[in-house]
Amino acid sequence: MLDIKLIRENPEKINELLKRRNPELSIDEVLQIDTQRRAVQTEADELRSKRKNESQKIGELKKQGQNTDEIQEEVRKIGDEIKILEEKEAEFDEKQRTLLLNIPNTPDETTPIGTSENDNKIVCGCGEPTEADFELKPHWDIAEEKGIVDFERGVKLSQSRFILYRGKGAVLERAIINFFLDVHTKEHGYEEILPPVLVNSAAMTGTGQLPKFAEDMYKCENEDLYLIPTAEVPVTNIYQGEILNEEDLPKYMTAYTPCFRREAGSAGKDTRGLIRVHQFNKVELVKLTTPEQSHEEHLKLTKDAERVLELLELPHRRVELCTADIGFSAQKCFDLEVYMPSYNGYKEISSCSNFGDYQARRANIRYREKSSGKVQFIHTLNGSGLAVGRTLAAILENFQQSDGTIKIPRVLHQYTGFDVIE
RNA sequence: GGAGAAGUGGCCGAGUUGGCUUAAGGCGGCACCCUGCUAAGGUGUUAUAUGGAGUAAUCUGUAUCCAGGGUUCGAAUCCCUGCUUCUCCGCCA
């Protein structure tokens, strides 16, 4: 959520930044509501003040045994007026909040300006695209042949885009999860979190999934509970409504969770294999920082995610997303992409975003500045570290051998207990 | 799931025959003072949100005693609903 005061004071600037995302975005309507809202509030405040004073007088008069019928009647009329104004106030509040919740974050000044994903900037690469003197198979064929993913029975149990891992496939998936968590907790200093995978609408609103993206999520019937689309939601919302101490920042947290996405609107995209499914595993990195720290911490977080790709020896690159492609709540974002022979190109495997105070404002997460004692919003960051299913797919494709076997990356041996899939 | 009790500021805790309570008292935090250092002591200060006035320091209004409704001239205090916590019972991995 954007700061209404900031909007009020710098309307042109905010508008300009929003239009970098999408020329149709504008804060004009919310500004208009804000003006009306404040007028009503001032009026109501004055009446409330009057009622308070008059009521006190009634108390005193009654103590002296005087008749107060007349003044009581007057104050009752004030009360009626206040009631009408309060209804208006609530209406404007609600309207303003709804508008604000549906306005995306302003892009960071350094986010490249663009109109589509074609304007994203490739920042750096690592490793050459895998080549071989035999035909590289797509991971869905490998997985099927080796019997490590049972696509058909996964569909039978649920519906299309649900995955059933078995045998070495299940072990490899679990090995990758443990490897990721170990690297981030032991080498990068993150605290491991194991959160609920069902959260309420307040949490979903805090990180920006609600109200705008309700149709992307699975919701429980008759309950205010949603399946999380990413661990970002529960982990970022841990401190919802709280005031942290400056010395507790930055906070590093990592969590493995399954993630659930309806993938509404992506029919026909990535229909085969492990790339786009309704339930997948992911290890997420979340940081809570002061405003001063967030930029540097964002770079560090991205490196933390890149580090596991390096350890796995998977060819990859970093892309800086342009203003048209960054997520709704983000102000700046790097994607990490892994090379996938089946796509003859790179595929997103991590998305590392800096949200500034946008999520903190929604979730009301603040900290007390030590020097001044002032309370202000924290900054939130997160990134995949990494998507597990896509990592498994990348390993299958990039580590296939001419004899048809799949080598397991060295760093995973201690987790899998085997070094090849035959 | 059933029965009881309770939810007050960073924490503990008073206030529940409605008005003088944003809220006593204590702890903790912060600032200053004092004794050679330490310990102890003294004084003061210590919520958040949102309006208005002012270039600003600042002054000032309103709201908030779990949340949302209601009663009343007036609600931390009375009534209703919900949520959460605790105790007991049931169930269960």
Side-chain angles (χ1 to χ4, degrees), chain A residues 56 81 169 319 334:
Chain A
Q56 270 170 11
E81 282 180 66
V319 173
F334 296 111

Side-chain angles (χ1 to χ4, degrees), chain A residues 136 226 234 331:
Chain A
L136 290 171
Y226 297 79
Q331 61 183 34

Side-chain angles (χ1 to χ4, degrees), chain A residues 297-422:
Chain A
E297 293 292 347
H298 181 210
L299 297 177
K300 275 172 73 183
L301 182 145
T302 308
K303 276 192 189 144
D304 292 339
E306 264 167 349
R307 174 79 182 134
V308 292
L309 281 169
E310 283 162 25
L311 288 169
L312 289 169
E313 301 171 72
L314 287 166
H316 62 276
R317 66 183 189 188
R318 188 201 293 197
V319 173
E320 181 167 13
L321 299 193
C322 75
T323 50
D325 208 25
I326 53 174
F328 180 81
S329 303
Q331 61 183 34
K332 188 176 178 69
C333 179
F334 296 111
D335 271 7
L336 302 182
E337 300 181 335
V338 67
Y339 184 74
M340 296 289 285
S342 62
Y343 281 78
N344 194 27
Y346 288 84
K347 197 77 196 162
E348 177 189 337
I349 199 163
S350 171
S351 195
C352 302
S353 304
N354 186 349
F355 301 93
D357 65 5
Y358 186 87
Q359 291 183 327
R361 208 174 276 286
R362 287 174 162 251
N364 198 22
I365 309 170
R366 294 170 294 174
Y367 79 102
R368 194 177 298 280
E369 211 179 54
K370 195 163 169 70
S371 56
S372 67
K374 268 198 339 200
V375 173
Q376 55 180 316
F377 290 105
I378 62 159
H379 279 198
T380 61
L381 321 169
N382 70 52
S384 339
L386 310 161
V388 179
R390 289 186 179 186
T391 302
L392 188 142
I395 289 171
L396 294 185
E397 294 198 7
N398 286 290
F399 282 78
Q400 47 188 316
Q401 308 299 302
S402 57
D403 62 0
T405 61
I406 309 297
K407 229 170 66 181
I408 301 297
R410 206 164 2 98
V411 288
L412 291 180
H413 293 178
Q414 57 168 310
Y415 294 96
T416 53
F418 53 82
D419 57 11
V420 66
I421 297 175
E422 279 150 353

